[in-house]
Amino acid sequence: FLRGLQEACEPFGLQIRHFVMGDPDDPTTSTAAVLKMPPGYVLPRHALPCERLEVVVAGSLYVGGAVLVPGDVMATPAGEMYGPHTAGPDGCTTVEIFSSIMGNGNVVFDTEDGPEAVSYR
């Protein structure tokens, strides 16, 4: 399912690669992802069903009123909405660590009509 998630991101100009840090059939297995966003890309407000830690490794990322640069870190508890995040003029590359493989491909987007769950699994 991770390959399918990677392919679903490509039409948006996103490049994402996942790394499973254990048994892929165990829902408690942690994962990491390297996400490369093109300049100006807006990652919409959303939540995941797991804890996540994200480190900016290249470019810049606008988050709220702040500009994050390489070395800056964000963390979000499971189920908490975050974003939107906007890639800077040179794009942005981040590394995200997810506490559970269930965080990959199970997203709740914050829409005008309320939360909308989407599963790319």
Side-chain angles (χ1 to χ4, degrees):
F1 79 91
L2 292 175
R3 282 203 187 108
L5 179 57
Q6 291 168 185
E7 292 168 2
C9 289
E10 290 173 2
F12 301 100
L14 299 174
Q15 297 175 20
I16 189 166
R17 295 298 175 258
H18 295 91
F19 303 88
V20 179
M21 298 185 282
D23 179 355
D25 295 323
D26 179 351
T28 65
T29 293
S30 299
T31 61
V34 178
L35 174 63
K36 184 174 182 179
M37 296 173 270
Y41 178 79
V42 178
L43 186 65
R45 186 167 173 76
H46 65 284
L48 300 172
C50 68
E51 289 79 21
R52 66 175 268 290
L53 178 87
E54 183 173 12
V55 181
V56 175
V57 296
S60 59
L61 191 63
Y62 299 96
V63 177
V67 178
L68 304 182
V69 296
D72 286 338
V73 177
M74 296 173 280
T76 309
E80 183 175 298
M81 291 283 180
Y82 63 95
H85 294 169
T86 304
D90 295 322
C92 185
T93 302
T94 65
V95 173
E96 288 186 82
I97 308 296
F98 301 96
S99 64
S100 164
I101 198 168
M102 297 306 295
N104 300 124
N106 291 304
V107 182
V108 177
F109 289 102
D110 189 13
T111 72
E112 291 179 6
D113 297 326
E116 181 179 329
V118 176
S119 180
Y120 297 97
R121 296 181 68 111

